[in-house]
């Protein structure tokens, strides 16, 4: 479906501002119009499309059609930014590239991209973090330009490229192992042993226990939404848990972390999704991501 023939971009920009600000007054200030004008623009837009585009209860969010229209609008804005950068010799503003990824990616290997001086000179980055299973949703809705996550199904008009594999192993402190796993881990009552997880959406621990020990019941949890924080919590004895092998070699060598099962690991493949159209700035960012991702197995 083509929207360009009849899209009211000012009205769609208004819809986007309301959702972004979660407030009609703040949206009106951002757009330098009255609150009444904000409501009228969105109302008129809904009349043109013949259905609701905004769910008017907090948190404000777009309907399914509203998300489709916003996704198209955001792609147009990205194109305009890319053209401005390509054709304006005096361009002062750098384009803002938005990208979604999980925290392990951000804190472990994507740091090499952030340390790339060439990338910092040609663009601003806006990073959205989410569980690796949901990062692609941000791309589908048009909220980001690129996505790194575990979903490999391509999105229409986008490319999907495998970056590598994140490998997780099961670890604990030495004292924790002596208390809860005095013998072999096989046969342990996992329902009574505390676990350190990232957050309520983190399923790596559950998937590990299901895959290797056929355990799928509940267990006591400590949630630490940080890669470094969850590692520190395991070292301190809050629980045992899965950790990215690339991040714990130093701790394994120092024996502050102990492998609970040397023969078992959990692997999750990571994929980069990006729009088929690539500005020169975006090409350089994608190349930097591939270079940084060589740290993955």
């Amino acid at each position: 479906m083509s929207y360009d023939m009849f899209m009211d971009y000012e009205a769609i920009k208004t819809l986007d501002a309301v959702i972004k600000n979660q407030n009609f007054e703040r949206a009106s200030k951002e757009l330098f119009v009255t609150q009444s004008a904000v409501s009228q623009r969105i109302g008129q837009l809904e009349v043109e499309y013949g259905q609701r585009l905004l769910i008017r209860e907090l948190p404000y969010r777009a309907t399914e059609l509203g998300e489709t229209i916003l996704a198209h609008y955001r792609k147009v804005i990205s194109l305009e930014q890319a053209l401005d950068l390509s054709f304006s010799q005096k361009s002062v503003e750098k384009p803002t590239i938005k990208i979604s990824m999980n925290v392990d990616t951000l804190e472990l290997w994507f740091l090499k991209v952030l340390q790339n001086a060439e990338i910092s000179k040609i663009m601003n980055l806006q990073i959205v973090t989410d569980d690796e299973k949901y990062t692609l949703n941000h791309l589908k809705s048009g909220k980001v330009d690129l996505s790194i996550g575990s979903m490999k199904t391509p999105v229409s008009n986008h490319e999907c490229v495998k970056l590598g594999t994140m490998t997780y192993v099961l670890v604990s402190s030495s004292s924790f192992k002596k208390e809860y796993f005095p013998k072999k881990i096989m046969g342990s009552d996992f329902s009574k042993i505390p676990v350190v997880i990232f957050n309520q959406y983190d399923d790596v621990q559950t998937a590990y226990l299901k895959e290797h020990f056929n355990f799928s019941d509940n267990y006591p949890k400590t949630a630490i939404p940080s890669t470094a924080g969850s590692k520190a919590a395991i070292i301190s004895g809050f629980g045992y848990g899965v950790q990215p092998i690339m991040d714990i070699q130093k701790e394994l060598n120092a024996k502050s972390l102990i492998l609970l099962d040397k023969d078992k690991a959990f692997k999750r493949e990571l994929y980069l999704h990006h729009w088929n159209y690539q500005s020169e700035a975006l090409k350089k960012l994608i190349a930097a991501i591939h270079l940084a991702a060589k740290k993955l197995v």
Side-chain angles (χ1 to χ4, degrees):
M1 182 178 182
S2 175
Y3 299 99
D4 291 314
M5 297 285 292
F6 54 88
M7 279 187 125
D8 183 344
Y9 284 101
E10 281 301 313
I12 300 169
K13 181 179 179 181
T14 304
L15 174 64
D16 192 38
V18 169
I19 294 172
K20 179 177 67 176
N21 287 282
Q22 286 296 297
N23 185 285
F24 276 74
E25 181 180 0
R26 286 196 294 269
S28 69
K29 289 179 179 179
E30 177 182 309
L31 300 171
F32 300 101
V33 297
T34 65
Q35 287 189 59
S36 176
V38 169
S39 297
Q40 288 175 10
R41 286 181 181 181
I42 295 175
Q44 184 59 40
L45 194 64
E46 291 177 327
V47 169
E48 291 176 6
Y49 283 95
Q51 60 181 281
R52 290 290 185 186
L53 303 177
L54 176 68
I55 298 175
R56 289 169 171 77
E57 58 182 29
L58 290 174
Y60 294 130
R61 56 201 185 280
T63 62
E64 184 176 353
L65 176 59
E67 283 287 3
T68 301
I69 294 168
L70 285 173
H72 177 83
Y73 165 75
R74 288 162 182 158
K75 292 299 184 188
V76 171
I77 297 302
S78 295
L79 270 173
E80 289 178 348
Q81 288 181 335
L83 289 171
D84 285 343
L85 184 68
S86 299
F87 295 112
S88 176
Q89 297 296 325
K90 298 181 180 179
S91 178
V92 177
E93 285 194 26
K94 297 182 290 185
T96 296
I97 305 297
K98 301 174 184 178
I99 180 168
S100 57
M101 64 187 72
N102 69 343
V103 174
D104 281 350
T105 290
L106 174 60
E107 295 187 5
L108 297 182
W109 61 269
F110 195 81
L111 290 177
K112 188 170 183 180
V113 178
L114 301 180
Q115 294 164 350
N116 188 317
E118 181 182 10
I119 296 299
S120 68
K121 289 178 181 177
I122 61 175
M123 69 182 69
N124 299 313
L125 288 178
Q126 183 174 321
I127 296 175
V128 177
T129 58
D130 205 339
D131 186 273
E132 63 268 18
K133 300 186 301 300
Y134 306 122
T135 52
L136 189 59
N137 292 339
H138 297 277
L139 183 71
K140 290 178 178 178
S141 68
K143 295 177 182 177
V144 299
D145 306 295
L146 303 93
S147 171
I148 297 172
S150 60
M151 307 305 290
K152 64 179 180 180
T153 303
V155 178
S156 178
N157 299 319
H158 289 72
E159 293 182 20
C160 174
V161 182
K162 182 179 177 181
L163 292 174
T165 303
M166 186 79 82
T167 301
Y168 296 85
V169 291
L170 199 64
V171 295
S172 75
S173 67
S174 178
S175 59
F176 189 94
K177 181 179 184 300
K178 289 178 182 178
E179 180 177 355
Y180 290 96
F181 303 110
K183 298 179 181 179
K184 292 184 178 180
I185 187 171
M186 183 66 75
S188 299
D189 187 355
F190 296 110
S191 65
K192 296 179 180 179
I193 304 174
V195 174
V196 174
I197 62 172
F198 185 81
N199 60 24
Q200 68 269 33
Y201 304 111
D202 182 12
D203 72 336
V204 177
Q205 178 77 30
T206 300
Y208 185 102
L209 293 177
K210 176 65 175 176
E211 179 178 324
H212 295 301
F213 302 105
N214 197 30
F215 175 84
S216 57
D217 293 333
N218 203 0
Y219 44 77
K221 306 177 182 70
T222 291
I224 310 289
S226 160
T227 301
S230 61
K231 178 171 67 174
I234 293 174
I235 292 172
S236 296
F238 278 89
Y240 74 111
V242 290
Q243 289 286 292
I245 188 68
M246 70 166 62
D247 187 44
I248 59 172
Q249 289 299 330
K250 179 180 177 181
E251 289 76 15
L252 290 175
N253 293 336
K255 299 191 184 304
S256 56
L257 285 177
I258 305 295
L259 280 174
L260 293 176
D261 196 322
K262 298 178 181 179
D263 300 323
K264 294 182 176 65
F266 183 81
K267 298 180 182 294
R268 182 151 278 175
E269 296 178 340
L270 293 180
Y271 299 87
L272 172 66
H273 295 259
H274 60 81
W275 200 14
N276 286 336
Y277 173 85
Q278 295 178 32
S279 65
E280 289 304 312
L282 195 58
K283 288 180 182 178
K284 291 181 179 179
L285 174 60
I286 291 172
I289 291 173
H290 281 289
L291 182 62
K294 287 185 177 181
K295 189 175 181 180
L296 296 167
V297 177

